[in-house]
Short mmCIF file of all heavy atoms in Angstrom, two decimals:
data_model
loop_
_atom_site.label_atom_id
_atom_site.label_comp_id
_atom_site.label_asym_id
_atom_site.label_seq_id
_atom_site.Cartn_x
_atom_site.Cartn_y
_atom_site.Cartn_z
N LYS A 354 15.86 28.81 7.05
CA LYS A 354 14.99 29.38 8.08
C LYS A 354 15.37 30.81 8.34
O LYS A 354 16.56 31.15 8.40
CB LYS A 354 15.16 28.50 9.33
CG LYS A 354 14.22 28.85 10.50
CD LYS A 354 14.40 27.88 11.66
CE LYS A 354 13.46 28.12 12.79
NZ LYS A 354 13.62 27.18 13.90
N ALA A 403 11.88 31.49 16.87
CA ALA A 403 11.93 30.03 17.01
C ALA A 403 11.22 29.55 18.28
O ALA A 403 11.54 28.44 18.74
CB ALA A 403 13.37 29.52 16.93
N MET A 404 10.30 30.33 18.83
CA MET A 404 9.59 29.90 20.02
C MET A 404 8.20 29.42 19.68
O MET A 404 7.31 30.23 19.46
CB MET A 404 9.50 31.06 21.00
CG MET A 404 10.88 31.52 21.47
SD MET A 404 10.77 32.97 22.46
CE MET A 404 12.53 33.41 22.52
N GLY A 405 8.02 28.09 19.61
CA GLY A 405 6.73 27.57 19.31
C GLY A 405 6.80 26.18 18.67
O GLY A 405 7.91 25.72 18.34
N SER A 406 5.66 25.53 18.58
CA SER A 406 5.65 24.17 18.03
C SER A 406 4.64 24.05 16.90
O SER A 406 4.30 22.91 16.50
CB SER A 406 5.23 23.17 19.14
OG SER A 406 6.11 23.34 20.24
N GLY A 428 6.53 23.17 14.49
CA GLY A 428 7.35 24.39 14.56
C GLY A 428 8.54 24.11 15.48
O GLY A 428 8.68 23.07 16.07
N SER A 429 9.49 25.01 15.52
CA SER A 429 9.33 26.32 14.89
C SER A 429 9.81 26.38 13.44
O SER A 429 9.47 27.32 12.74
CB SER A 429 10.16 27.35 15.69
OG SER A 429 11.51 27.02 15.70
N SER A 448 16.54 25.26 12.71
CA SER A 448 17.25 25.32 13.94
C SER A 448 16.42 24.57 15.00
O SER A 448 15.21 24.52 14.90
CB SER A 448 17.52 26.78 14.38
OG SER A 448 16.28 27.40 14.76
N ASP A 449 17.15 24.01 15.98
CA ASP A 449 16.46 23.12 16.94
C ASP A 449 16.97 23.43 18.33
O ASP A 449 18.14 23.24 18.62
CB ASP A 449 16.75 21.69 16.53
CG ASP A 449 15.90 20.64 17.26
OD1 ASP A 449 15.81 20.74 18.49
OD2 ASP A 449 15.36 19.74 16.60
N THR A 450 16.10 23.96 19.18
CA THR A 450 16.44 24.31 20.54
C THR A 450 15.81 23.31 21.50
O THR A 450 16.34 23.01 22.57
CB THR A 450 15.94 25.75 20.86
OG1 THR A 450 16.47 26.61 19.84
CG2 THR A 450 16.37 26.24 22.23
N GLY A 451 14.61 22.80 21.07
CA GLY A 451 13.91 21.82 21.87
C GLY A 451 13.17 20.83 21.01
O GLY A 451 12.36 20.04 21.52
N GLY A 452 13.35 20.91 19.70
CA GLY A 452 12.62 19.98 18.82
C GLY A 452 12.24 20.64 17.48
O GLY A 452 11.63 19.98 16.64
N SER A 453 12.65 21.86 17.26
CA SER A 453 12.14 22.66 16.14
C SER A 453 12.54 22.20 14.75
O SER A 453 12.03 22.69 13.76
CB SER A 453 12.55 24.10 16.27
OG SER A 453 11.68 24.75 17.15
N PHE A 481 18.57 31.91 20.58
CA PHE A 481 17.36 31.75 21.41
C PHE A 481 17.88 31.21 22.75
O PHE A 481 17.96 31.90 23.73
CB PHE A 481 16.39 30.84 20.65
CG PHE A 481 15.27 30.21 21.45
CD1 PHE A 481 14.97 30.58 22.75
CD2 PHE A 481 14.48 29.23 20.84
CE1 PHE A 481 13.91 29.97 23.45
CE2 PHE A 481 13.42 28.62 21.53
CZ PHE A 481 13.16 29.00 22.85
N TYR A 584 13.39 22.08 30.46
CA TYR A 584 13.57 22.90 29.27
C TYR A 584 12.91 24.23 29.43
O TYR A 584 13.47 25.29 29.04
CB TYR A 584 13.04 22.16 28.05
CG TYR A 584 13.02 22.98 26.80
CD1 TYR A 584 14.16 23.07 26.00
CD2 TYR A 584 11.91 23.69 26.38
CE1 TYR A 584 14.19 23.84 24.86
CE2 TYR A 584 11.85 24.46 25.25
CZ TYR A 584 13.03 24.54 24.47
OH TYR A 584 13.02 25.31 23.35
N TYR A 585 11.67 24.23 29.96
CA TYR A 585 10.92 25.48 30.04
C TYR A 585 11.34 26.39 31.19
O TYR A 585 10.74 27.38 31.45
CB TYR A 585 9.42 25.27 29.98
CG TYR A 585 9.00 25.11 28.54
CD1 TYR A 585 8.86 23.84 27.92
CD2 TYR A 585 8.79 26.22 27.67
CE1 TYR A 585 8.55 23.69 26.60
CE2 TYR A 585 8.50 26.07 26.37
CZ TYR A 585 8.39 24.85 25.79
OH TYR A 585 8.11 24.73 24.46
N ARG A 635 7.81 34.25 27.18
CA ARG A 635 9.12 33.56 27.45
C ARG A 635 10.09 34.50 28.19
O ARG A 635 10.81 34.12 29.05
CB ARG A 635 9.78 33.07 26.17
CG ARG A 635 8.95 32.17 25.30
CD ARG A 635 8.91 30.74 25.82
NE ARG A 635 8.08 29.94 24.95
CZ ARG A 635 8.54 28.96 24.16
NH1 ARG A 635 9.80 28.63 24.20
NH2 ARG A 635 7.69 28.30 23.39
N ASP A 701 6.66 18.80 22.65
CA ASP A 701 8.10 18.60 22.64
C ASP A 701 8.58 17.57 23.64
O ASP A 701 9.74 17.46 23.88
CB ASP A 701 8.81 19.94 22.88
CG ASP A 701 8.36 20.99 21.92
OD1 ASP A 701 8.26 20.70 20.75
OD2 ASP A 701 8.11 22.14 22.36
N1 LIG B 260 8.85 24.16 20.63
C1 LIG B 260 9.96 24.48 21.51
C2 LIG B 260 9.82 25.85 22.04
O1 LIG B 260 8.87 26.50 21.73
C3 LIG B 260 11.23 24.26 20.76
C4 LIG B 260 11.58 25.40 19.89
C5 LIG B 260 12.87 25.20 19.13
O2 LIG B 260 13.37 24.11 19.10
N2 LIG B 260 13.34 26.31 18.63
O3 LIG B 260 10.66 26.33 22.78
#
Side-chain angles (χ1 to χ4, degrees):
K354 187 177 183 179
M404 297 174 191
S406 306
S429 63
S448 67
D449 191 312
T450 307
S453 278
F481 163 11
Y584 173 84
Y585 278 95
R635 304 281 180 113
D701 305 316

